Amino acid sequence: MITPGETTPDGHDGELTVDQSAGRAGVTVRNVRAYAARGLLPPPRMVGRTGYYGREHVARLLLVREMLAEGY
């Protein structure tokens, strides 16, 4: 999912922007923000106004997508 070479501007490994994490999970940015507002995702690590999402965020997004596909 997240390659070891990916870093944020301040050097944190394996973190993605909302665009990147949404793309990895196959959902829209709008849905990522809606899931976060509903408490389905933990808040991202903030650097200024940019949120960085890790592996656990992408895994949770995949779980939410799978559950929605099954009717939950």
Side-chain angles (χ1 to χ4, degrees):
M1 282 272 180
I2 300 173
T3 61
E6 292 181 80
T7 59
T8 60
D10 60 354
H12 283 68
D13 287 332
E15 292 186 315
L16 305 168
T17 63
V18 69
D19 276 341
Q20 294 167 326
S21 57
R24 297 278 168 98
V27 298
T28 65
V29 171
R30 183 177 182 175
N31 283 344
V32 172
R33 292 190 173 125
Y35 300 154
R38 292 180 185 167
L40 298 175
L41 289 177
R45 187 178 70 80
M46 298 300 292
V47 176
R49 291 179 44 176
T50 304
Y52 290 99
Y53 297 80
R55 298 171 199 269
E56 66 280 354
H57 292 98
V58 175
R60 180 69 63 96
L61 288 168
L62 291 170
L63 176 64
V64 169
R65 190 181 77 177
E66 181 180 325
M67 290 179 76
L68 287 171
E70 292 183 16
Y72 288 99

